[in-house]
Amino acid sequence: QLQASGGGLVQTGGSLRLSCSAPGLTFDDYAIGWFRQAPGKEREPVSCISTDDGGTYYTNSVKGRFTISSDNAKSTVSLQMTYLKPEDTAIYYCAAESGYQSTWYCQNGWRLNKKWGRGSQVTVSS
């Protein structure tokens, strides 16, 4: 299971950087994504990256504000979040699946994930 860290409390317009660690996992041909779940809402995809070609996907609400990146050598994926809004408040999770590309994984594949690791709380105050 992947573990997310780096969340916290920030004001509107602030920034946070989330990290996803995958000890022992070799990032060959993986799609790795960030997903979030706000109170009372369903989990939703935020951003995904393909480790083989670096292809990325962003949901519309975070385009231009969030940046996903991977360090294959360290088996980590980061999500740099800027210009945060109160509606970004949620628990953020990371997950991965081999053999998928980022777009398909974020749009469909993530729903097959049966185990979710520890998430990281992001709270944006207005």
Side-chain angles (χ1 to χ4, degrees):
Q1 294 178 354
L2 280 65
Q3 305 297 329
S5 62
L9 172 64
V10 295
Q11 293 185 333
T12 296
S15 299
L16 282 174
R17 187 178 182 87
L18 300 180
S19 293
C20 176
S21 64
L25 184 66
T26 302
F27 278 6
D28 291 333
D29 193 24
Y30 268 84
I32 302 174
W34 287 96
F35 307 87
R36 66 186 180 188
Q37 188 165 17
K41 293 188 177 182
E42 293 186 353
R43 192 166 301 182
E44 63 176 0
V46 177
S47 180
C48 295
I49 188 167
S50 303
T51 61
D52 59 349
D53 64 5
T56 57
Y57 170 92
Y58 297 93
T59 194
N60 286 338
S61 62
V62 307
K63 283 181 180 177
R65 300 189 298 122
F66 291 10
T67 303
I68 191 171
S69 60
S70 69
D71 186 333
N72 293 356
K74 295 182 179 179
S75 297
T76 59
V77 171
S78 298
L79 185 69
Q80 180 67 46
M81 305 185 293
T82 62
Y83 300 103
L84 283 161
K85 305 175 181 180
E87 51 263 44
D88 294 319
T89 295
I91 299 176
Y92 284 69
Y93 302 86
C94 56
E97 191 61 60
S98 63
Y100 293 154
Q101 292 299 305
S102 58
T103 298
W104 194 89
Y105 185 58
C106 252
Q107 292 183 331
N108 302 286
W110 68 277
R111 298 180 186 278
L112 302 175
N113 194 47
K114 290 180 171 56
K115 287 187 178 181
W116 293 89
R118 183 189 69 222
S120 184
Q121 177 71 49
V122 171
T123 304
V124 185
S125 62
S126 56

